[in-house]
Amino acid sequence: MAKKLANTHVESLLKAFEIHQQKNRAMSYVTNVASFDAQTVAPKNKDAVNERAEAMGYFALEDFKHNNSENYDKLLTDLEAAYDDLSPEMQRIVYLERKNIEKLKKIDPKDYQDYAILLSQAQVAWENAKAANDFAAYAPFLERILTYTRKFTQLTKTVNGPLYNQLLDDYEEGSTIEKLDQFFASLKDRIVPLLKKIQQSKVNIRNDFMSRSFPKHEQLAYAKDLLTFLGYDLDRGALSESVHPFTSEISPNDVRVTTRIYENNFVSNIYSTAHEGGHGIYEQNLDKKVKGTLLGHGAAMSIHESQSRFYENVISRSKTFTHVVFPDLKKKFPNQFKDVTEKEFYQAINEVQTSFIRVEADELTYSLHIMVRYELEKQLIAGTLKVNDLPQAWNQLYTEYLGITPKTNAEGCLQDVHWSGGAFGYFPSYALGNAISIQLLKTMEKDLSLEETINRKNLTPIREWFAEKIYRFGKFYPPFVLLKKVTKEDLNPTYYCDYLETKFSEIYDL
Amino acid sequence: MAKKLANTHVESLLKAFEIHQQKNRAMSYVTNVASFDAQTVAPKNKDAVNERAEAMGYFALEDFKHNNSENYDKLLTDLEAAYDDLSPEMQRIVYLERKNIEKLKKIDPKDYQDYAILLSQAQVAWENAKAANDFAAYAPFLERILTYTRKFTQLTKTVNGPLYNQLLDDYEEGSTIEKLDQFFASLKDRIVPLLKKIQQSKVNIRNDFMSRSFPKHEQLAYAKDLLTFLGYDLDRGALSESVHPFTSEISPNDVRVTTRIYENNFVSNIYSTAHEGGHGIYEQNLDKKVKGTLLGHGAAMSIHESQSRFYENVISRSKTFTHVVFPDLKKKFPNQFKDVTEKEFYQAINEVQTSFIRVEADELTYSLHIMVRYELEKQLIAGTLKVNDLPQAWNQLYTEYLGITPKTNAEGCLQDVHWSGGAFGYFPSYALGNAISIQLLKTMEKDLSLEETINRKNLTPIREWFAEKIYRFGKFYPPFVLLKKVTKEDLNPTYYCDYLETKFSEIYDL
């Protein structure tokens, strides 16, 4: 009888929770659609942008109020009291929601709103400063964002050590400066010398055909075929064009990807598509236990990026993949590839070229770009680096890690949008994702051969392996717990460094 | 001093009104975007459709509650008390909002929600019944929608006469059965005999080239050029593809249009584009006094349709327009038009072909399709026609008006979505729009020559004339008041009938 009463009590709490989530789902549905729309078809005139900003601002505040209410706090407290009667998934949800509400409770709504306004102004200030190569015009915004970030982090801090630890933990539960310093040191020790050797290599990589012209609509059709081949389900998503490629989880059965298409740079489209395809496949293969709930997303940015990088680099930039798709590419684009061999194609898509721009970086140098940002934001948050000294510090690190020095701030410290959006602590996830993708590959290869699977032209076993090991859990496990569960060891960048060394030694005949 | 106090009072009321509208604007922004998205890129799988329906259902109810609240009622009462101190635009807004809230107040929220659910079910039931040609499966839904429509109309009725008068007035303020009976009788008297003469004409219109193949991406590029030529501003909108073309007012500076593209029916794209372009141009040219307010939309469906029809038929199907654009079309599509003359093209785009499907009807027979629906829905609402007798009554009227008899209900009474969406009283606006477009043309030609303007390849004077006479007012005037203000007379279908007779007599050598 008591058990039955307890059940009824839990059921009514769960029902109240579901009603609360209905509003969250509705708001999240429309704001996701509006954001996808803004980055694809929406007109960009100033008035339309302001009209959208007004609507989005309304929902941001509404969301804050809805999830930071006394009612919801009370409901979470009741659910915590009934913790043992909850499903493991619900227990995790309550834990995450408590973490979130405790954070929101400490923030003054006025501050929250002012910060939101600051961010939308900073976005425009950053765009203008980048276009005009005018760091001084942007510096006051970065300064104010840092002030808010420090203030909010100080107020909501729950992990030990410096403030930056908290920001790292916000993105990757369990991440600390200590761990990341070690991680990046290992990468630096192996990638920097490898890069120097490559720069001295006598191997000449032919890349003249990389800028040949490929009609837009044919590229778009190719991207759709590629997505399907990789295992992305177009019936539960869509492919659109955008300036910056991204993946959007509109709802559980509507996970969309975008690509960027340049007539004279066809590989940009191929690898954007494969990258976003990896993100999309992750979100499309959650278990129904978590799908549509607050756990119904990727575990964390690092694990997500491990998947996009896996589909982009480990699969699509591999020799086997080139061998499998190149004949078809040659058939579809006979004029553009008539004088190109499979080997030349493979080398061209893997050419190492140090550049100033992170998003255009090759597989080898990508992590070096991240290291620069990690070092600098760590110091910015600690206050040991002043905003005014950022340009110089940035250029010094590029010289040290990549051997090149930016000539302008536009191609230097102004190139990324992240800090203008208040995203400090986010960059490391990109590099973690690279390393994790290879650590997962090593584990996967105990069960199946990647090469043979690609050669059979059916990638389903790869998707199914990831679904079983990673995707289905959604956010149920923190990222490093999940990584250890799957690979039986902690984060180990050795695999990644070995992989890079083997791959590029062969290409550059080292 | 008293004046000053009154001003402060009015200002605070207007401020409260503005805050109320902020939420409306935010909700309207996101639901418009979501609806545009649903009809263009969104995936169509059942789960995604349900996820969207859940979100939209939430906002529909939220909207009902927001605009049917005691607070808002009180605010309107206060504004009514300060009526003389309000701007003319605000006076009209308060009048329309009062009308709306009085209606909402009389409807039980439970009924409202049940009806919304019924409509979403009916939409699916209609699609299935149409596909399976199974009227019996759909009839119970239509029956229930009629019951709700009668109930709601009875409760909220403010105009005299039969229930259907209220439905007509809801779409076209001032419209009655008496007026429309007269209007349709005039059309019928002239169009039916004209059609019979055309059917006996010996003129042979060549149409073999109309089904030649035009690549999709080239059609899309052509549609964009056409929109710009007509005067639609792509920077404050967008062109997308959809199954059913439509215009969407996302926000004041973001008015989008869509088109339908068939590889083997290129004119479908051209005239869909011109039609929606007309709607779009209207919405893009509102005066800033009404833009972004509750008056910031077209006056009514009839006036709106007069514009889409004007750009589609009066301009784009004219001889002058053909003369102006055909050389360019021939240059852009040399293979498809190599053996086609300008005259053949003009005749082909104006060929009269009786068909069962309203949306494919030519300029002449279109209004006959509307008359069938008008007669039938008038009787359905009055209860003098039973749902089960609808198929037979439909077929009888097609035989009488168009001289053809549908062989299935799919091409008969199941072809339109309107009744499944509860839109009774909406169809007449299409025919009114046709007649109004020509009545406006007659007035316009006192100020400028349409032929000369088109011949100069600059349509700006046309848009500016409409902006001055029609667009800028938004919903400030009821449709028939506006029509009289511009043309100095009441609705007069004679112009329209004369226009049809002149145009088609020439084409068919009558």
Side-chain angles (χ1 to χ4, degrees):
Chain A
M1 189 66 192
K3 183 76 189 165
K4 209 173 164 186
L5 273 178
N7 281 346
T8 316
H9 174 62
V10 172
E11 268 166 33
S12 79
L13 292 178
L14 291 176
K15 203 175 162 189
F17 187 81
E18 166 58 17
I19 289 169
H20 182 86
Q21 293 311 325
Q22 262 172 17
K23 178 167 179 174
N24 279 335
R25 274 202 301 270
M27 291 198 296
S28 141
Y29 183 90
V30 295
T31 50
N32 284 340
V33 168
S35 160
F36 177 86
D37 179 82
Q39 294 173 78
T40 52
V41 282
K44 309 266 185 269
N45 74 74
K46 214 173 150 183
D47 294 326
V49 168
N50 287 338
E51 285 150 13
R52 176 164 54 249
E54 191 199 336
M56 293 301 101
Y58 172 81
F59 285 106
L61 196 61
E62 196 64 15
D63 182 73
F64 181 86
K65 289 192 275 186
H66 184 57
N67 292 302
N68 187 22
S69 65
E70 275 180 40
N71 277 343
Y72 190 48
D73 193 359
K74 166 83 170 58
L75 177 58
L76 287 178
T77 308
D78 292 347
L79 283 164
E80 282 158 345
Y83 193 81
D84 292 340
D85 295 321
L86 303 178
S87 70
E89 287 77 19
M90 199 59 207
Q91 290 177 341
R92 172 84 174 148
I93 288 173
V94 169
Y95 165 79
L96 291 172
E97 285 296 275
R98 169 57 66 200
K99 220 172 142 177
N100 188 40
I101 199 173
E102 288 308 315
K103 198 171 274 185
L104 295 179
K105 274 159 77 175
K106 285 172 189 134
I107 296 175
D108 180 345
K110 180 78 177 68
D111 267 358
Y112 183 86
Q113 206 176 352
D114 288 349
Y115 180 60
I117 292 166
L118 171 62
L119 290 187
S120 72
Q121 293 167 334
Q123 168 76 26
V124 181
W126 167 72
E127 281 170 18
N128 293 340
K130 190 180 172 185
N133 188 34
D134 182 0
F135 181 76
Y138 169 66
F141 290 93
L142 184 55
E143 192 69 75
R144 288 178 60 206
I145 293 172
L146 274 166
T147 307
Y148 271 111
T149 304
R150 281 196 215 101
K151 180 176 176 182
F152 291 156
T153 313
Q154 195 69 61
L155 284 167
T156 60
K157 197 163 176 291
T158 56
V159 300
N160 295 327
L163 279 188
Y164 189 55
N165 265 0
Q166 181 66 49
L167 291 164
L168 292 174
D169 189 84
D170 286 348
Y171 288 104
E172 307 290 337
E173 218 173 326
S175 211
T176 61
I177 293 179
E178 201 190 338
K179 279 190 193 173
L180 284 180
D181 277 352
Q182 220 179 330
F183 169 71
F184 281 119
S186 323
L187 295 194
K188 196 178 143 194
D189 280 356
R190 304 227 359 225
I191 295 177
V192 173
L194 178 58
L195 177 59
K196 290 209 170 116
K197 279 206 263 176
I198 288 171
Q199 285 167 333
Q200 286 152 15
S201 156
K202 298 229 166 62
V203 172
N204 255 324
I205 290 183
R206 182 188 160 197
N207 60 17
D208 60 299
F209 56 88
M210 298 287 271
S211 53
R212 287 178 183 168
S213 178
F214 291 68
K216 261 193 153 183
H217 66 281
E218 291 179 17
Q219 286 201 47
L220 209 53
Y222 187 79
K224 284 193 180 175
D225 290 347
L226 176 61
L227 281 174
T228 304
F229 181 67
L230 293 175
Y232 172 87
D233 182 358
L234 274 165
D235 290 338
R236 293 188 295 132
L239 172 70
S240 288
E241 264 187 86
S242 64
V243 178
H244 302 286
F246 65 96
T247 300
S248 175
E249 307 141 49
I250 306 268
S251 72
N253 294 288
D254 182 358
V255 178
R256 306 185 196 168
V257 295
T258 73
T259 183
R260 171 173 45 199
I261 296 186
Y262 300 120
E263 296 248 336
N264 292 304
N265 181 1
F266 73 98
V267 296
S268 166
N269 168 43
I270 292 181
Y271 295 102
S272 293
T273 300
H275 183 98
E276 302 307 329
H279 285 306
I281 289 167
Y282 191 165
E283 294 289 331
Q284 284 188 334
N285 286 277
L286 301 170
D287 192 273
K288 59 177 178 240
K289 270 190 198 166
V290 300
K291 211 169 165 170
T293 74
L294 288 171
L295 302 182
H297 299 285
M301 222 322 247
S302 59
I303 308 287
H304 236 302
E305 199 67 12
S306 81
Q307 295 310 298
S308 53
R309 288 292 175 173
F310 196 95
Y311 279 91
E312 177 191 357
N313 291 330
V314 184
I315 293 181
S316 305
R317 284 193 214 263
S318 71
K319 220 181 209 176
T320 324
F321 190 82
T322 305
H323 179 67
V324 162
V325 303
F326 192 65
D328 179 50
L329 257 178
K330 232 173 149 151
K331 209 189 292 172
K332 279 181 176 145
F333 303 97
N335 290 326
Q336 293 94 330
F337 288 123
K338 57 173 184 272
D339 58 345
V340 182
T341 67
E342 184 183 314
K343 191 181 171 188
E344 285 170 332
F345 183 75
Y346 173 68
Q347 287 185 318
I349 60 171
N350 283 295
E351 188 181 9
V352 174
Q353 284 179 306
T354 48
S355 82
F356 300 114
I357 311 301
R358 176 182 60 84
V359 295
E360 289 169 10
D362 54 73
E363 191 178 357
L364 181 77
T365 58
Y366 192 90
S367 298
L368 301 176
H369 290 264
I370 297 304
M371 271 179 238
V372 171
R373 288 150 180 81
Y374 168 72
E375 287 302 332
L376 298 173
E377 67 178 19
K378 189 168 64 175
Q379 296 171 44
L380 283 170
I381 295 294
T384 53
L385 174 67
K386 298 289 164 224
V387 165
N388 287 337
D389 299 330
L390 177 63
Q392 209 200 332
W394 180 285
N395 292 355
Q396 268 172 3
L397 286 181
Y398 262 79
T399 314
E400 184 185 337
Y401 294 171
L402 286 114
I404 52 176
T405 314
K407 279 173 289 297
T408 66
N409 289 326
E411 64 179 18
C413 65
L414 280 173
Q415 76 180 260
D416 292 307
V417 67
H418 299 61
W419 293 337
S420 309
F424 293 91
Y426 184 108
F427 279 121
S429 308
Y430 289 114
L432 290 169
N434 282 336
I436 292 171
S437 72
I438 307 301
Q439 189 169 335
L440 289 170
L441 171 67
K442 290 299 144 190
T443 307
M444 177 189 276
E445 298 226 279
K446 291 172 190 159
D447 297 328
L448 62 87
S449 154
L450 188 74
E451 210 179 306
E452 282 171 25
T453 309
I454 298 175
N455 258 324
R456 278 195 295 270
K457 300 187 186 184
N458 177 356
L459 306 192
T460 311
I462 299 170
R463 193 191 68 218
E464 285 175 347
W465 192 89
F466 278 127
E468 170 67 20
K469 305 286 181 183
I470 305 274
Y471 302 161
R472 67 183 171 111
F473 299 111
K475 291 183 107 62
F476 187 75
Y477 297 110
F480 295 115
V481 174
L482 181 60
L483 180 66
K484 186 153 190 179
K485 185 178 178 306
V486 177
T487 65
K488 315 283 184 237
E489 63 177 320
D490 291 323
L491 176 68
N492 182 349
T494 314
Y495 302 117
Y496 178 51
C497 295
D498 290 349
Y499 159 88
L500 291 174
E501 236 167 54
T502 309
K503 177 169 182 175
F504 288 98
S505 294
E506 199 228 308
I507 292 172
Y508 282 94
D509 201 11
L510 304 181
Chain B
M1 189 67 189
K3 183 77 186 161
K4 208 174 166 187
L5 273 179
N7 282 347
T8 316
H9 173 62
V10 171
E11 268 167 34
S12 79
L13 291 178
L14 291 176
K15 202 174 164 191
F17 187 79
E18 167 59 17
I19 289 169
H20 182 86
Q21 293 312 324
Q22 263 172 16
K23 179 168 179 172
N24 279 336
R25 273 204 300 271
M27 291 199 296
S28 140
Y29 184 90
V30 295
T31 50
N32 284 340
V33 168
S35 159
F36 178 85
D37 179 82
Q39 294 173 78
T40 53
V41 283
K44 309 266 184 270
N45 75 75
K46 215 173 151 183
D47 293 326
V49 169
N50 287 338
E51 285 151 12
R52 175 164 54 246
E54 192 199 335
M56 292 304 99
Y58 171 81
F59 285 107
L61 196 60
E62 195 65 15
D63 182 73
F64 181 86
K65 289 193 278 187
H66 184 57
N67 291 304
N68 187 23
S69 66
E70 275 180 41
N71 276 345
Y72 190 49
D73 194 0
K74 165 84 170 55
L75 177 58
L76 287 178
T77 308
D78 291 347
L79 283 164
E80 281 157 348
Y83 193 82
D84 291 341
D85 295 321
L86 303 179
S87 69
E89 288 77 19
M90 198 60 207
Q91 290 177 341
R92 172 83 174 148
I93 288 174
V94 170
Y95 165 78
L96 291 173
E97 285 296 275
R98 168 58 66 201
K99 219 172 145 177
N100 187 42
I101 198 172
E102 288 309 316
K103 198 171 275 185
L104 294 179
K105 274 158 77 174
K106 284 172 189 134
I107 296 175
D108 181 344
K110 180 78 178 72
D111 267 359
Y112 183 84
Q113 205 176 353
D114 288 349
Y115 180 61
I117 293 167
L118 171 62
L119 290 187
S120 72
Q121 292 166 337
Q123 168 76 26
V124 182
W126 167 71
E127 281 170 16
N128 293 340
K130 189 180 174 186
N133 188 34
D134 182 0
F135 181 76
Y138 169 67
F141 289 92
L142 184 55
E143 192 68 73
R144 287 179 60 206
I145 292 172
L146 274 166
T147 306
Y148 272 112
T149 303
R150 282 196 215 100
K151 181 175 175 183
F152 291 156
T153 313
Q154 196 69 61
L155 283 168
T156 61
K157 198 164 177 291
T158 56
V159 302
N160 295 328
L163 279 187
Y164 189 57
N165 265 1
Q166 180 65 50
L167 290 163
L168 292 174
D169 189 83
D170 286 348
Y171 288 104
E172 307 291 338
E173 218 173 325
S175 211
T176 61
I177 293 178
E178 201 189 338
K179 279 190 193 174
L180 284 180
D181 278 352
Q182 218 179 333
F183 169 70
F184 282 119
S186 322
L187 295 194
K188 197 177 142 192
D189 279 357
R190 305 229 355 228
I191 295 177
V192 173
L194 179 57
L195 177 60
K196 290 212 169 113
K197 279 205 263 175
I198 287 171
Q199 284 167 335
Q200 285 151 14
S201 156
K202 297 231 166 60
V203 172
N204 255 325
I205 290 184
R206 183 189 158 196
N207 61 16
D208 59 299
F209 57 87
M210 298 287 270
S211 52
R212 287 178 183 167
S213 179
F214 291 67
K216 261 191 153 185
H217 66 280
E218 290 179 17
Q219 287 202 46
L220 209 53
Y222 187 79
K224 284 192 180 176
D225 290 347
L226 177 60
L227 281 174
T228 304
F229 180 67
L230 293 174
Y232 172 86
D233 181 358
L234 275 165
D235 290 338
R236 292 187 295 130
L239 172 70
S240 288
E241 264 187 86
S242 64
V243 178
H244 302 286
F246 64 97
T247 301
S248 176
E249 307 141 50
I250 307 270
S251 71
N253 293 287
D254 181 358
V255 179
R256 307 187 195 167
V257 296
T258 73
T259 183
R260 171 172 46 199
I261 296 186
Y262 300 119
E263 296 254 11
N264 292 303
N265 182 359
F266 72 98
V267 295
S268 167
N269 168 43
I270 291 181
Y271 296 103
S272 294
T273 300
H275 182 98
E276 301 308 328
H279 285 306
I281 289 166
Y282 192 165
E283 294 288 331
Q284 284 187 334
N285 287 277
L286 302 170
D287 192 273
K288 58 177 178 239
K289 269 191 200 166
V290 299
K291 210 168 167 173
T293 75
L294 288 171
L295 302 183
H297 300 284
M301 218 328 245
S302 60
I303 308 287
H304 237 302
E305 198 68 11
S306 81
Q307 295 312 297
S308 53
R309 288 293 175 174
F310 195 96
Y311 279 91
E312 176 191 356
N313 291 331
V314 184
I315 293 180
S316 305
R317 284 192 214 264
S318 71
K319 220 181 208 176
T320 325
F321 189 81
T322 306
H323 179 67
V324 163
V325 303
F326 192 65
D328 179 50
L329 256 179
K330 231 175 150 149
K331 209 189 293 173
K332 279 183 175 142
F333 303 96
N335 291 326
Q336 293 94 330
F337 288 123
K338 58 175 182 268
D339 58 345
V340 182
T341 67
E342 184 182 315
K343 190 182 173 189
E344 284 170 332
F345 183 76
Y346 172 69
Q347 287 186 319
I349 60 170
N350 284 297
E351 188 181 9
V352 174
Q353 281 178 309
T354 50
S355 83
F356 300 115
I357 311 300
R358 175 183 58 85
V359 294
E360 290 169 10
D362 54 74
E363 191 177 357
L364 181 76
T365 58
Y366 193 92
S367 298
L368 301 177
H369 290 264
I370 297 304
M371 270 178 238
V372 172
R373 288 149 179 81
Y374 168 72
E375 286 302 332
L376 297 174
E377 67 178 22
K378 188 168 66 174
Q379 295 172 44
L380 283 170
I381 294 294
T384 52
L385 173 66
K386 297 290 163 224
V387 165
N388 287 337
D389 299 329
L390 176 63
Q392 209 199 333
W394 181 286
N395 293 355
Q396 269 172 2
L397 286 181
Y398 262 79
T399 314
E400 185 184 336
Y401 294 171
L402 286 113
I404 52 176
T405 315
K407 280 173 290 297
T408 67
N409 289 326
E411 63 180 22
C413 66
L414 280 172
Q415 76 181 259
D416 292 308
V417 67
H418 300 62
W419 292 338
S420 309
F424 294 91
Y426 183 110
F427 280 120
S429 308
Y430 290 114
L432 290 169
N434 282 336
I436 292 170
S437 72
I438 307 301
Q439 189 168 335
L440 289 170
L441 170 68
K442 290 299 142 190
T443 308
M444 177 189 276
E445 300 224 278
K446 290 171 192 161
D447 298 326
L448 62 89
S449 154
L450 188 73
E451 209 177 308
E452 281 170 27
T453 309
I454 298 176
N455 258 324
R456 277 195 296 271
K457 299 188 187 185
N458 177 357
L459 306 192
T460 311
I462 299 171
R463 192 191 69 219
E464 283 174 349
W465 192 89
F466 278 128
E468 170 68 21
K469 304 286 181 183
I470 305 273
Y471 302 161
R472 66 185 173 108
F473 300 111
K475 292 181 106 61
F476 186 76
Y477 295 110
F480 296 115
V481 174
L482 181 60
L483 181 66
K484 186 152 191 180
K485 182 177 179 309
V486 177
T487 67
K488 315 280 183 240
E489 65 176 318
D490 290 323
L491 177 68
N492 183 349
T494 314
Y495 303 117
Y496 178 52
C497 296
D498 290 349
Y499 160 88
L500 291 174
E501 235 166 56
T502 310
K503 177 169 183 175
F504 289 98
S505 294
E506 198 230 309
I507 293 172
Y508 282 95
D509 201 12
L510 304 180

